[in-house]
């Protein structure tokens, strides 16, 4: 045996005998050659030769003497080869003997064996080492060379055969052809494995090597026609028995049981097929479990996202938004990874099924990849709608809170103004008044009517606010409506009472015509000024809601314009106060009783002074309120710019990564391993980039908490960036999986890097839109470009439809690169078939149409034997024993539909 680049080969070109002699001489020089080996070889080789020569009715006694004339050597070669050698020379002279030995050596050489350093003269002269080397070469060529287990060399194959056959046996561990056979248990195990009726292995003991060896040798000689080739005492007493002698003897066992080799080959094929099936079923179960779990999570999540129930409070809505943020940060990311893993597992499973010639896997109804994608898309649509609803609901509730406060403020002011007005209008005071007083009452009433008309707009404002609160479904709208109804009803009563009193005063006016012009002037000017003061005070404390710097700037500009009018108002105030001073002067001068009382108005200079002072105090307070809001909007603008700056960096980065991953997925950029390495680097880079996304989420949270609903500095929203990020992760995982499957296909199908590049280049050439898939007409052009003959006649169309049925079995209307690659390589691949597996089971069953559990457990490893027993249906044919199993139906099912 020689090592060629690390691979063991049958080196007949170098010559066994030459290697034998050189190794013997090297061991002898190093003092490693055990003299007992030569003795063991001589005995074993002699017995081996006699086991064949006896078929010709002869034998040898002394191996180095009986082959010297070449006659029995030629006879041995004829017996073991079944061929006829040239006629031997019958003379007894030395040259006759040399001629016969040369004829034997020439025959050996004709079988592809070079006998370097072994010449006819050494054999004729009785050179024992050369003779043993020649016989060892013959043994290797005619007894061991054809032994092959799993494509190993002869020696390794024979050793593996021994290991497999003796694996179930206690105290047997075959590692070599010298020490592993010393105690005799390995020989007994080989016999018991194939003929359990000849040896009771349970009664053997490792402590009785001599008894074990004699038992094995006796049984082999008596029942298996294998002569004794080894001496038990020599094996026991030699520290390291000669492996050539043991290999020669063990090879006789192999050939004696070679009928059982077919069963072993069949068992190996079955084990290989079952292992593939078991792994595929495990992947199917894993897919079903992951799919069920993901779909159940989506099912549980959708009602929450579809719910539009709130407690109609801003704080409750903000709590709901925080719950949604927690869902996006903590609950959804693991499900994104689960979805990617699910798609990866599904693609890997389908690739393995194609490579093992199994039908494509069809998940349980409702658990297709398309079903999961549809459910996921529904989830994303629900998320988007939910978040949009939340934000709009927050805006609505914020508006409601503002309107409710404004309604209360205006209603409070109005009700304060109307307090006592009904009693005043119902008074009969004018009946006891003088003409002067009547005129004063009339003027006073006119002033009241003016004031009443001025309040009409305020009542309408209150009603309008109440109507808007109704439209926006304010949660305390009942109380608002009741209060608004009271105000409106009172307003109607005031109007009626005012009209009634005016008619009464008009009747009295015809009798009493006196009027105090000075008081009248005060009343006329004080009433509108007082109304202006009331309106100004109300405006200065009026609440507002803005969302931009422009809006607050508009309010500040309006306030500045208002402050510019304060000079004219001060002049009016001074003029009105001056009227009072004139009245006081006249009353003091003329001592008029009750003259200071103004019959035309209830307003006094003191009231106007207080209101004017309050207005002057409210102006700087309003300045502060507007300035604070300006700072808030400036802070919001800073948040907008921060978000836009980060988003405008993250968005293009995600797009560049998507383009790069797509470019790698299109192939033609180095080997598949290079593409996989680069994809792994991109994957690591993407996960390393995640802190940028998290930082953006933090900024976005601050933006939402600032009630910022638009951003003109960026086209990106947090939602688009989240979707882009998830799509990037999914694209990388999917592309890595596709490249891994292409590597798996390439290695399994044996296609070269150049072939793969040619397939990829042709596919990409016709994939004009870079979608990673081809339409039927594009596929036809691609196949033609690769030399595939597709006629333009009806037969050509039928051929193409057959191809489409293979590459697009679900009739989706497009073909992926994986399906295209599988089609281009699958027809040239040697794969297991149901017929091959049936033939293998038939061998294990001894040509019976059924097999028993006992036979399966004897021939297959325990886990695979039990796998078969659990899944094989009962055999229903005639003459079958109880519990017989139908291996044909089982094998067909392996390559057909499964339960999953």
């Amino acid at each position: 045996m020689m090592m060629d680049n690390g691979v063991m080969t049958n080196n007949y070109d170098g010559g066994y005998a030459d290697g034998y002699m050189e190794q013997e001489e090297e061991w002898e020089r190093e003092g490693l050659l055990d003299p007992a080996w030569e003795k063991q070889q001589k005995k074993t080789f002699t017995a081996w030769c006699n086991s064949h020569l006896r078929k010709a009715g002869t034998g040898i006694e002394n191996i180095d003497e009986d082959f010297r004339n070449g006659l029995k050597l030629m006879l041995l070669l004829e017996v073991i080869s079944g061929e006829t050698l040239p006629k031997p020379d019958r003379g007894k002279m030395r040259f006759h003997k040399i001629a016969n030995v040369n004829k034997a050596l020439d025959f050996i050489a004709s079988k592809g064996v070079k006998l370097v350093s072994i010449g006819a003269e050494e054999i004729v002269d009785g050179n024992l080492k050369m003779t043993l080397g020649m016989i060892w070469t013959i043994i290797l060529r005619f007894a061991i060379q054809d032994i092959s287990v799993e494509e190993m060399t002869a020696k390794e194959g024979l050793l593996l055969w021994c290991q497999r056959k003796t694996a179930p046996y206690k105290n047997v561990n075959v590692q070599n052809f010298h020490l592993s056979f010393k105690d005799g248990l390995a020989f007994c195990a080989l016999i018991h494995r194939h003929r359990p009726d000849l040896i009771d292995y349970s009664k053997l003991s490792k402590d009785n090597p001599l008894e074990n060896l004699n038992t094995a040798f006796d049984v082999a000689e008596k029942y298996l026609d294998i002569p004794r080739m080894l001496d038990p005492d020599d094996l026991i007493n030699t520290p390291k028995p000669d492996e050539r002698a043991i290999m020669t003897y063990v090879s006789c066992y192999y050939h004696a049981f070679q009928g059982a080799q077919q069963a072993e080959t069949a068992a190996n094929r079955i084990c290989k097929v079952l292992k593939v099936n078991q792994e595929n079923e495990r992947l199917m179960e894993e897919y079903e479990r992951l799919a069920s779990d993901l779909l159940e999570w989506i099912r549980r999540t959708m009602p929450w996202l579809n719910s539009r129930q709130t407690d109609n409070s801003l704080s409750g809505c903000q709590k709901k938004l925080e719950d949604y943020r927690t869902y996006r940060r903590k609950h959804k990311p693991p499900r994104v990874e689960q979805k990617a893993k699910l798609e990866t597992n599904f693609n890997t499973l389908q690739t393995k099924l194609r490579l093992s010639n199994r039908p494509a896997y069809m998940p349980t109804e409702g658990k297709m990849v398309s079903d999961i994608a549809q459910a996921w898309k529904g989830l994303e649509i629900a998320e988007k709608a939910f978040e949009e609803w939340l934000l709009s609901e927050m805006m609505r509730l914020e508006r409601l809170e503002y309107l409710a406060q404004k309604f209360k403020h205006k209603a409070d002011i109005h009700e304060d103004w109307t307090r006592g007005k009904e009693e005043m209008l119902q008074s009969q005071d004018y009946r006891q008044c003088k003409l002067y007083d009547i005129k004063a009452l009339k003027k006073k009433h006119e002033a009241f009517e003016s004031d009443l008309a001025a309040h009409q707009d305020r009542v309408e404002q209150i009603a309008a606010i109440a109507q808007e609160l109704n439209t926006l479904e304010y949660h305390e709208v009942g109380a608002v409506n009741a209060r608004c109804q009271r105000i409106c009803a009172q307003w109607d009563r005031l109007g009626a009472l005012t009209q009634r009193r005016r008619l009464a005063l008009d009747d009295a006016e015809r009798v009493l015509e006196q009027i105090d012009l000075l008081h009248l002037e005060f009343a006329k000017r004080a009433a509108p000024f007082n109304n202006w003061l009331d309106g100004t005070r109300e405006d200065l404390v009026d609440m507002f809601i803005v969302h931009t710097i422009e809006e607050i700037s508009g309010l500040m500009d309006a306030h500045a314009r208002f402050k510019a009018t304060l000079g004219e108002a001060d002049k009016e105030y001074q003029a009105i106060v001056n009227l009072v001073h004139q009245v006081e002067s006249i009353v003091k001068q003329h001592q008029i009783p009750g003259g200071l009382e103004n019959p035309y108005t209830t307003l006094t200079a003191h009231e106007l002074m207080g209101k004017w002072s309050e207005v002057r105090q409210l102006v700087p307070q309003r300045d502060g309120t507007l300035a604070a809001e300006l700072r808030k909007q400036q802070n919001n603008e800073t948040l907008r710019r921060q978000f836009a700056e980060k988003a405008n960096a993250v968005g293009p980065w995600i797009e560049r990564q998507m383009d790069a991953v797509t470019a790698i997925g299109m192939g033609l950029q180095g080997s598949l391993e290079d593409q996989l390495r680069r994809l792994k680097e991109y994957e690591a880079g993407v996960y390393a980039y995640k802190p940028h996304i998290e930082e953006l989420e933090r900024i976005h949270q601050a933006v939402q908490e600032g009630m910022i609903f638009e951003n003109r500095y960026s086209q990106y929203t947090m939602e688009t960036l989240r979707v882009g990020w998830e799509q990037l992760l999914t694209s990388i995982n999917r592309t890595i999986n596709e490249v891994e499957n292409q590597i798996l296909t390439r290695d399994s199908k044996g296609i070269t890097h150049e072939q793969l590049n040619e397939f990829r280049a042709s596919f990409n050439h016709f994939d004009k839109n870079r979608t990673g898939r081809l339409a039927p007409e594009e596929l036809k052009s691609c196949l033609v470009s690769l030399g595939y003959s597709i006629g333009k006649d009806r037969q050509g169309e039928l051929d193409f439809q057959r191809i489409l049925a293979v590459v697009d079995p679900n009739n989706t209307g497009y073909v992926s690169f994986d399906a295209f690659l599988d089609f281009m390589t699958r027809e040239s691949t040697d794969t297991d078939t149901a017929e091959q597996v049936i033939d293998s089971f038939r061998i294990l069953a001894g040509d019976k149409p059924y097999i028993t559990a006992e036979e399966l457990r004897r021939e297959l490893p325990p886990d695979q034997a039990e796998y078969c027993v659990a899944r094989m249906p009962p055999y229903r044919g005639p003459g079958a024993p109880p519990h017989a199993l139908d291996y044909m139906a089982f094998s067909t099912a392996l390559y057909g539909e499964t339960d999953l």
Side-chain angles (χ1 to χ4, degrees):
M1 301 295 170
M2 299 291 290
M3 292 297 292
D4 181 11
N5 295 328
V7 180
M8 187 70 74
T9 61
N10 288 325
N11 186 6
Y12 289 106
D13 292 337
Y16 284 111
D18 181 44
Y20 173 88
M21 295 304 298
E22 290 178 356
Q23 192 177 52
E24 292 278 357
E25 291 171 0
E26 181 181 349
W27 287 346
E28 188 172 13
R29 286 194 304 271
E30 295 177 359
L32 299 176
L33 184 61
D34 190 338
W37 289 1
E38 187 174 281
K39 176 184 176 184
Q40 291 173 6
Q41 287 182 22
K42 184 175 181 181
K43 179 173 182 178
T44 301
F45 291 0
T46 299
W48 184 85
C49 292
N50 283 333
S51 69
H52 293 285
L53 287 172
R54 68 184 179 184
K55 299 174 184 176
T58 185
I60 61 172
E61 294 182 3
N62 194 335
I63 197 168
D64 52 340
E65 292 292 334
D66 293 349
F67 285 138
R68 291 178 62 182
N69 61 8
L71 295 176
K72 289 189 176 181
L73 179 58
M74 293 178 68
L75 181 60
L76 174 65
L77 291 172
E78 287 184 339
V79 171
I80 62 177
S81 69
E83 300 179 27
T84 302
L85 273 66
K87 188 176 181 179
D89 294 355
R90 293 299 179 181
K92 295 184 180 182
M93 303 296 290
R94 176 178 173 80
F95 72 88
H96 293 118
K97 298 177 182 180
I98 291 175
N100 290 335
V101 173
N102 273 326
K103 291 176 182 179
L105 296 180
D106 289 342
F107 179 79
I108 297 173
S110 72
K111 298 302 180 183
V113 181
K114 293 182 180 179
L115 297 171
V116 182
S117 299
I118 296 182
E121 290 82 359
E122 286 84 356
I123 304 302
V124 172
D125 291 339
N127 186 317
L128 178 59
K129 288 187 177 181
M130 287 296 179
T131 302
L132 292 176
M134 177 188 66
I135 298 301
W136 174 240
T137 300
I138 293 172
I139 293 172
L140 284 174
R141 173 60 183 82
F142 293 101
I144 299 178
Q145 175 188 350
D146 294 333
I147 297 175
S148 177
V149 178
E150 292 190 357
E151 299 180 359
M152 291 185 171
T153 60
K155 179 180 177 180
E156 291 174 325
L158 185 60
L159 185 63
L160 180 59
W161 177 79
C162 294
Q163 290 171 340
R164 286 186 173 178
K165 293 301 181 182
T166 61
Y169 291 89
K170 183 179 179 182
N171 295 326
V172 178
N173 183 18
V174 177
Q175 298 297 324
N176 50 58
F177 284 114
H178 37 76
L179 299 179
S180 298
F181 286 85
K182 283 191 66 172
D183 59 10
L185 288 178
F187 291 118
C188 293
L190 287 174
I191 295 173
H192 184 269
R193 180 62 186 270
H194 296 91
R195 292 290 303 277
D197 56 310
L198 300 180
I199 290 180
D200 187 354
Y201 186 84
S202 63
K203 293 183 178 180
L204 302 179
S205 170
K206 190 176 182 67
D207 298 330
N208 298 320
L210 185 61
E211 180 182 342
N212 298 338
L213 290 167
N214 279 317
T215 298
F217 296 165
D218 289 343
V219 169
E221 186 172 32
K222 182 176 181 181
Y223 296 102
L224 305 178
D225 200 24
I226 301 175
R228 277 179 173 260
M229 297 183 184
L230 301 172
D231 188 294
D233 292 325
D234 289 343
L235 289 178
I236 295 172
N237 296 324
T238 303
K240 185 178 181 183
D242 178 61
E243 71 172 5
R244 293 174 184 80
I246 294 178
M247 278 182 66
T248 300
Y249 185 55
V250 171
S251 70
C252 294
Y253 279 69
Y254 179 88
H255 290 295
F257 299 130
Q258 65 180 355
Q261 288 305 108
Q262 292 183 342
E264 181 175 3
T265 302
N268 289 338
R269 179 181 293 276
I270 290 170
C271 289
K272 176 183 175 183
V273 171
L274 294 180
K275 185 176 180 181
V276 170
N277 232 58
Q278 288 172 305
E279 175 62 15
N280 289 342
E281 289 187 8
R282 185 191 67 76
L283 288 175
M284 292 177 193
E285 292 168 354
E286 175 71 6
Y287 175 88
E288 292 285 329
R289 183 185 64 77
L290 288 175
S292 298
D293 182 65
L294 182 58
L295 290 171
E296 174 61 20
W297 176 79
I298 294 175
R299 186 192 65 77
R300 294 196 310 269
T301 304
M302 288 296 287
W304 176 66
L305 292 174
N306 291 329
S307 173
R308 298 295 183 264
Q309 299 296 322
T310 66
D311 59 358
N312 264 328
S313 69
L314 188 59
S315 61
C317 205
Q318 289 171 337
K319 172 64 169 58
K320 213 171 186 68
L321 181 61
E322 182 59 34
D323 292 342
Y324 180 71
R325 292 195 192 109
T326 302
Y327 158 81
R328 290 304 304 244
R329 287 196 304 262
K330 296 181 179 179
H331 301 306
K332 189 182 179 187
R335 298 299 177 171
V336 174
E337 296 177 5
Q338 182 179 1
K339 177 175 177 289
K341 181 180 179 182
L342 193 66
E343 295 175 351
T344 298
N345 287 359
F346 182 83
N347 292 334
T348 300
L349 172 60
Q350 297 293 38
T351 299
K352 288 186 174 182
L353 288 171
R354 288 198 306 271
L355 295 179
S356 59
N357 200 25
R358 303 301 198 276
Y361 165 55
M362 292 295 293
T364 305
E365 183 178 357
K367 297 179 184 176
M368 298 283 289
V369 173
S370 59
D371 296 326
I372 294 169
Q374 183 178 358
W376 190 264
K377 183 177 180 180
L379 179 74
E380 292 176 336
I381 292 173
E383 289 173 348
K384 186 174 184 299
F386 183 76
E387 187 170 19
E388 290 174 351
W389 169 76
L390 267 181
L391 296 178
S392 65
E393 186 69 5
M394 289 177 65
M395 294 178 65
R396 184 182 73 83
L397 291 172
E398 181 188 35
R399 174 74 177 167
L400 279 176
E401 293 292 332
Y402 161 74
L403 289 174
Q405 291 297 323
K406 190 168 185 177
F407 175 84
K408 180 179 182 302
H409 181 66
K410 287 185 175 293
D412 288 344
I413 293 174
H414 176 77
E415 289 174 348
D416 184 64
W417 177 82
T418 60
R419 188 172 294 110
K421 294 293 190 295
E422 289 189 69
E423 292 78 3
M424 181 269 293
L425 290 173
Q426 292 173 342
S427 171
Q428 301 291 317
D429 53 352
Y430 59 86
R431 294 186 180 278
Q432 290 81 29
C433 289
K434 298 178 180 178
L435 178 62
Y436 175 82
D437 295 329
I438 291 297
K439 289 185 175 290
L441 284 177
K442 186 175 183 299
K443 294 301 181 181
K444 181 178 179 181
H445 189 69
E446 289 176 353
F448 174 76
E449 286 181 322
S450 176
D451 200 10
L452 187 68
H455 275 78
Q456 175 69 32
D457 182 60
R458 186 170 298 134
V459 173
E460 291 175 353
Q461 289 180 12
I462 291 172
I465 295 173
Q467 179 60 41
E468 189 170 359
L469 287 171
N470 276 272
T471 302
L472 295 178
E473 300 178 358
Y474 181 55
H475 63 285
E476 294 183 0
V477 71
V480 169
N481 289 339
R483 189 173 187 183
C484 181
Q485 184 63 36
R486 288 196 301 273
I487 290 173
C488 291
Q490 184 188 40
W491 185 253
D492 291 339
R493 291 196 302 276
L494 286 175
L497 290 172
T498 300
Q499 182 65 23
R500 189 184 307 158
R501 185 172 177 82
R502 179 178 178 82
L503 293 174
L505 290 174
D506 285 342
D507 291 340
E509 186 180 21
R510 288 191 297 270
V511 181
L512 304 173
E513 295 284 340
Q514 189 176 4
I515 186 169
D516 186 342
L517 295 177
L518 196 58
H519 278 309
L520 181 60
E521 180 68 14
F522 173 86
K524 289 182 177 179
R525 301 183 68 171
F529 187 69
N530 177 68
N531 189 61
W532 178 85
L533 285 175
D534 289 341
T536 298
R537 287 190 303 163
E538 184 176 343
D539 290 341
L540 287 175
V541 297
D542 190 21
M543 291 172 288
F544 56 84
I545 177 170
V546 296
H547 295 288
T548 64
I549 291 180
E550 289 76 8
E551 291 177 352
I552 188 62
S553 297
L555 291 178
M556 295 181 76
D557 291 344
H559 185 61
R561 291 193 297 272
F562 161 74
K563 289 194 293 185
T565 66
L566 288 178
E568 291 298 323
D570 186 63
K571 290 180 182 179
E572 179 69 9
Y573 168 74
Q574 295 299 334
I576 293 173
V577 170
N578 187 52
L579 290 174
V580 176
H581 290 164
Q582 290 182 46
V583 169
E584 291 174 348
S585 176
I586 294 173
V587 168
K588 182 178 180 181
Q589 180 180 357
H590 298 283
Q591 297 294 315
I592 300 174
L596 293 178
E597 296 181 3
N598 192 327
Y600 305 114
T601 180
T602 59
L603 292 174
T604 65
H606 179 73
E607 290 178 13
L608 294 178
M609 187 181 301
K611 291 182 179 181
W612 176 248
S613 176
E614 184 179 355
V615 166
R616 297 182 69 85
Q617 291 175 0
L618 289 174
V619 169
Q621 293 178 11
R622 186 70 167 184
D623 288 336
T625 302
L626 293 173
E629 183 62 29
L630 177 62
R631 289 193 297 274
K632 175 184 175 184
Q633 293 304 322
Q634 288 172 338
N635 180 64
N636 288 353
E637 191 72 2
T638 300
L639 286 175
R640 288 188 183 96
R641 293 180 182 275
Q642 287 178 349
F643 179 85
E645 180 182 1
K646 192 67 179 176
N648 291 340
V650 171
W653 184 88
I654 291 176
E655 293 164 1
R656 290 195 301 273
Q657 304 310 301
M658 285 290 291
D659 292 341
V661 171
T662 301
I664 294 175
M666 297 303 293
L668 295 182
Q669 296 186 12
S671 65
L672 289 175
E673 284 75 13
D674 291 337
Q675 295 174 30
L676 186 60
R677 174 184 56 76
R678 292 178 60 198
L679 285 170
K680 295 286 188 180
E681 291 173 355
Y682 273 107
E683 183 180 36
V686 167
Y687 281 109
Y689 198 77
K690 189 174 183 181
H692 294 281
I693 301 296
E694 294 172 345
E695 180 183 356
L696 201 55
E697 286 282 7
R698 290 193 293 273
I699 298 175
H700 179 61
Q701 180 173 345
V703 166
Q704 286 191 330
E705 290 172 350
M707 305 298 287
I708 303 171
F709 302 109
E710 53 82 28
N711 191 341
R712 63 181 178 275
Y713 300 113
S714 177
Q715 64 176 332
Y716 299 101
T717 66
M718 195 65 235
E719 177 63 25
T720 60
L721 293 176
R722 288 175 188 145
V723 172
W725 176 256
E726 293 173 1
Q727 289 176 344
L728 176 59
L729 290 177
T730 301
S731 178
I732 289 178
N733 285 327
R734 182 183 296 115
T735 307
I736 287 175
N737 179 244
E738 289 174 354
V739 174
E740 289 175 340
N741 285 339
Q742 290 171 26
I743 291 174
L744 182 61
T745 301
R746 180 199 64 190
D747 294 344
S748 299
K749 300 297 180 80
I751 61 176
T752 65
H753 179 68
E754 291 72 18
Q755 286 176 308
L756 188 62
N757 277 350
E758 181 183 8
F759 294 153
R760 173 55 85 178
S762 297
F763 188 91
N764 288 349
H765 175 75
F766 292 98
D767 181 17
K768 304 297 185 183
N769 297 326
R770 294 296 183 262
T771 60
R773 57 195 191 185
L774 298 181
E777 288 304 315
E778 293 172 334
L779 172 66
K780 181 184 292 185
S781 300
C782 182
L783 292 174
V784 172
S785 73
L786 289 169
Y788 204 100
S789 177
I790 300 177
K792 295 184 178 181
D793 54 4
R794 184 173 181 274
Q795 184 58 46
E797 182 61 28
L798 291 175
D799 291 341
F800 182 64
Q801 291 302 319
R802 177 186 61 81
I803 295 173
L804 277 181
V806 174
V807 297
D808 184 18
N810 295 324
N811 197 25
T812 61
Y814 61 84
V815 179
S816 67
F817 179 71
D818 282 349
F820 170 74
L821 178 62
D822 180 63
F823 172 75
M824 294 302 296
T825 58
R826 67 186 300 177
E827 295 184 359
S828 61
T829 304
D830 181 23
T831 57
D832 291 312
T833 65
E835 290 75 16
Q836 291 174 324
V837 176
I838 290 173
D839 290 341
S840 299
F841 274 118
R842 183 179 289 111
I843 292 172
L844 298 187
D847 287 330
K848 300 190 301 293
Y850 59 85
I851 196 168
T852 65
E854 180 182 356
E855 289 170 332
L856 288 170
R857 294 185 176 111
R858 184 177 70 235
E859 299 295 343
L860 299 179
D863 62 329
Q864 295 188 336
E866 298 307 322
Y867 178 86
C868 292
V869 171
R871 286 166 172 76
M872 276 191 186
Y875 180 74
R876 303 299 185 187
H883 309 300
L885 301 173
D886 189 341
Y887 60 80
M888 294 185 186
F890 173 76
S891 301
T892 302
L894 287 178
Y895 292 85
E897 297 297 331
T898 68
D899 292 340
L900 291 177

